[in-house]
Amino acid sequence: MNFRDIWTVAKKELRSCFTDKVILMQMLLLPFAIVFGYGMLMGVMADSQTPEEGKANACVINAPDYMKEAFDKLGIDPADKSKADKLKEDIKNKKLDALMIFPEDFTMTAASPETMSDVEIWYNSESQSSLTMYNTVQTLLSAFQPKAFTVNADTSVQYDMGDENAPFRRVIAMVFPLMIFMATIMICNNLAAESIAGDKERGFLNTMLITPVKRSSIAAGKSLCIFTVVIVASISAFVGMVASLPTLIEKMKMTDHISFGALEYMQLFFISLTAAFVLASITLTISALAKDVKQATTIAPLVMMVLMIGGMLTMNDGFSEIIENLDTVNYFIPAWNSMLLMQDIIQLKYDSMSVIITCCTNIVITFLFIFIIGRLFEHEKIINN
């Protein structure tokens, strides 16, 4: 291959991409918008799960004096018994989250079950905020109930031997790698289809093949263009993740914030970038085999879906035993390796050898596909459909 010829072909392809305002906006803004937007959406959803002090949309009737302070901290307003029916209607119409009604003769103890006081908690299970408030109030009332003995009463002691923020890290690890992959796939899929299958369909590829430029150089030049686009898209998606992650952590109210250093961010970026190269090279190969753009854009998403499902399974508890048994082999499997390792880094449970193996595997796979694309360009039947 002649590097001058490769650069000539790549420059021509890049010029068409970077001078097209629509493609340029897609490269720069779409990945960022997808990852950042989804991160912000998760933050809003997480923020709505736990009522903050002074922000509850609920009322209480006949609350005992010793409970009023607790209800005040939750922002639950006292209400008159005469307004009970209207408040219940508000709950039905989702204007109010919950209503607690204590009986006039409320007592904490009773001689028999028949004489026990019953506290009514009215809520609407169709509303997530109402259901959350119901659970919050139930927990609050349980704290006031008489107990024969206590469990873990010393609040200064951390009885949970695990990481209390692990569930939140797990949620973040499930979402961000998937969003980054989806964003880069959306960008490179159509461009790869147009680059090879589109040129075949328009007959322009045959024109290029009769020039003195080697076919392998043409294949490499087109690949270089797509990889350059993927680099820009990956940077955009990565910036979206970095920008939304602090807000998401804050909204999830993690007691011990995830502390990423420059090393973790750098590793996440290079893994997502090399994984994007693998995905782009697959779409280029499909484009080389396809008869036209329609066929390329139809087949590529199906193949990518299979790869993405494989990557998503890395967070499935049912596959944890398989992952443990595969051990280092996990990081030699394309798509699976990158998704698994990015999730491990976000959860702060990775090792340097896994990073090296994954990046090297992705680079080798990428060059292998470039070689395959070059060989496909040598077959007249494939080039001429």
Side-chain angles (χ1 to χ4, degrees), residues 276-303:
F277 285 162
V278 173
L279 298 176
S281 61
I282 293 174
T283 58
L284 282 165
T285 305
I286 293 171
S287 181
L289 291 168
K291 294 181 178 180
D292 49 38
V293 174
K294 182 179 180 181
Q295 190 177 77
T297 53
T298 301
I299 297 174
L302 298 178
V303 176

Side-chain angles (χ1 to χ4, degrees), residues 37-178:
Y38 205 88
M40 290 295 98
L41 178 61
M42 284 184 60
V44 171
M45 292 173 64
D47 194 37
S48 65
Q49 296 299 310
T50 305
E52 297 182 18
E53 291 187 5
K55 291 189 177 182
N57 183 26
C59 295
V60 60
I61 295 174
N62 293 333
D65 291 339
Y66 53 85
M67 291 189 187
K68 288 181 179 178
E69 183 179 354
F71 285 123
D72 288 340
K73 285 185 177 180
L74 284 176
I76 298 175
D77 299 323
D80 190 84
K81 186 177 181 180
S82 61
K83 297 182 179 179
D85 290 337
K86 181 183 182 303
L87 294 173
K88 291 177 185 177
E89 191 66 26
D90 287 342
I91 293 173
K92 184 177 180 180
N93 296 328
K94 300 181 181 179
K95 295 180 180 178
L96 186 70
D97 286 337
L99 170 65
M100 282 68 68
I101 302 178
F102 288 79
E104 297 284 353
D105 54 349
F106 176 78
T107 179
M108 292 288 288
T109 58
S112 65
E114 290 77 15
T115 59
M116 290 176 61
S117 297
D118 179 56
V119 180
E120 298 178 348
I121 307 176
W122 298 84
Y123 68 104
N124 188 338
S125 61
E126 295 179 4
S127 168
Q128 181 60 49
S129 59
S130 179
L131 192 58
T132 301
M133 179 55 65
Y134 170 76
N135 293 327
T136 301
V137 172
Q138 270 202 326
T139 302
L140 175 64
L141 295 178
S142 296
F144 282 102
Q145 289 176 329
K147 295 176 175 61
F149 58 90
T150 62
V151 177
N152 292 352
D154 189 349
T155 56
S156 64
V157 177
Q158 179 65 32
Y159 295 99
D160 184 0
M161 304 301 290
D163 181 3
E164 61 181 305
N165 290 321
F168 297 120
R169 288 194 179 100
R170 186 178 176 84
V171 171
I172 295 172
M174 288 179 67
V175 173
F176 278 118
L178 184 60

